[in-house]
Amino acid sequence: MSIYDDEAAGREVRDWCTARLTADGAVLDRSVVATTLGATHVTLAGTAGPWVLVLPAAAESAAVLGGLTGALAESHRVAVADLPGEPGLSHDEPPHDDLVGRFDSWVSEVVAAVTDEPVVLVADGLGATVALCSTTDRVRGLVAVSPAGVNEYPGDLGYALRELRLGLSPTEANADRLLRPFYGTALPPDHDLLLEWTMLLARTIWPSEPPALLPNAVRRRWRDTPHRVLVGEHDAMHRHDRIARPVEALMGSGVRVLPGVGEAAVHEAPGAVAEIVRELTAAP
């Protein structure tokens, strides 16, 4: 089943994304990759350095990740893959069974289409769930930001009510009410863009369900692969004290806290995220 209300809604989202990416001077090329989860849109940026593959959060795409893409492209070759089943330019139906196996295959297919070299996955929210499912030896590391699937989704009644209000009345004021709790101590530079995107999605898509907790064996596989887990200091959904235990026990690492940042870390502090990616890709 498509995530869009109808064909016109899907066309509106795709046209918006295409216009944003066309106007983004950092974008070098765009392509569509055939995968087992359907057509996958890949945006390329950066001319030199190690390869990174960015996997967006739920309800996000390359079109709203210009800040992160630009920060990464200063020292990396960057590919951003819109997730199938999320709004953007990829296939509009999410997978409904064997998510671990399907996401594992999808990551392998996208990596193979992008480059013959090893890549580091830079994954946010739902994108981190997808990344953690990967078993390909072409992935040399992972930077997981506000990762979904690492611990149980705690639920958020306030968010659900704000989302319902926005769906009934997709105004700028209601979009602002939905977004602000995701931030830390300051608005991100692209807040106005996120407002526009949020209002667009409220008119055009069916909201997705939160990702399920990944099996222990999936998370444990990352013990021997270099990785970093990042959360914002003010991230109420992925609180440091909530995810530190499963990350340490299963993945064998710690959690880094980004000061002053909320759940929208890739928008609030793209430079800080890019710096940690550089640290990982520079490691022997």
Side-chain angles (χ1 to χ4, degrees):
M1 177 179 174
S2 173
I3 61 168
Y4 299 115
D5 290 345
D6 51 36
E7 290 186 12
R11 186 164 55 251
E12 185 178 0
V13 171
R14 289 189 289 271
D15 288 348
W16 191 95
C17 292
T18 300
R20 286 292 313 170
L21 293 172
T22 301
D24 188 342
V27 173
L28 298 179
D29 197 9
R30 300 189 295 117
S31 63
V32 176
V33 177
T35 76
T36 51
L37 291 184
T40 296
H41 183 273
V42 178
T43 301
L44 300 178
T47 58
W51 273 101
V52 296
L53 172 61
V54 178
L55 304 180
E60 295 210 340
S61 72
V64 293
L65 291 177
L68 178 65
T69 302
L72 290 170
E74 293 178 6
S75 52
H76 296 84
R77 288 169 289 175
V78 183
V80 186
D82 290 0
L83 299 184
E86 295 297 325
L89 293 171
S90 289
H91 184 58
D92 61 354
E93 294 186 19
H96 296 291
D97 62 349
D98 186 24
L99 297 186
V100 172
R102 291 182 184 276
F103 285 148
D104 181 12
S105 297
W106 179 80
V107 172
S108 296
E109 292 161 351
V110 174
V111 170
V114 167
T115 178
D116 294 330
E117 300 176 26
V119 304
V120 165
L121 302 179
V122 181
D124 180 31
L126 175 62
T129 302
V130 176
L132 287 166
C133 294
S134 174
T135 60
T136 175
D137 58 9
R138 298 282 307 286
V139 171
R140 58 174 290 200
L142 166 67
V143 175
V145 187
S146 298
V150 170
N151 64 320
E152 290 279 5
Y153 175 68
D156 186 339
L157 179 59
Y159 171 78
L161 293 174
R162 294 192 303 274
E163 184 179 46
L164 176 61
R165 183 174 184 176
L166 177 63
L168 294 173
S169 178
T171 64
E172 183 173 313
N174 285 337
D176 188 72
R177 290 187 186 96
L178 184 77
L179 289 172
R180 282 183 183 259
F182 291 131
Y183 305 150
T185 56
L187 293 179
D190 58 355
H191 176 62
D192 288 345
L193 174 69
L194 293 176
L195 280 176
E196 185 179 341
W197 174 247
T198 301
M199 288 186 288
L200 171 63
L201 297 190
R203 298 194 309 268
T204 56
I205 73 166
W206 298 96
S208 59
E209 294 293 324
L213 178 68
L214 289 170
N216 288 353
V218 171
R219 292 172 286 168
R220 194 176 288 119
R221 290 196 301 241
W222 288 88
R223 296 182 71 90
D224 298 323
T225 301
H227 63 270
R228 306 285 188 271
V229 178
L230 315 179
V231 297
E233 177 186 7
H234 302 286
D235 185 343
M237 191 63 62
H238 308 91
R239 280 180 11 208
H240 172 268
D241 61 346
R242 183 179 290 144
I243 74 167
R245 183 174 180 180
V247 168
E248 180 178 358
L250 297 170
M251 299 174 67
S253 64
V255 177
R256 293 200 185 184
V257 178
L258 300 174
V261 172
E263 188 177 350
V266 298
H267 299 281
E268 299 171 87
V273 174
E275 181 58 36
I276 292 171
V277 175
R278 282 191 288 272
E279 171 193 300
L280 183 59
T281 56

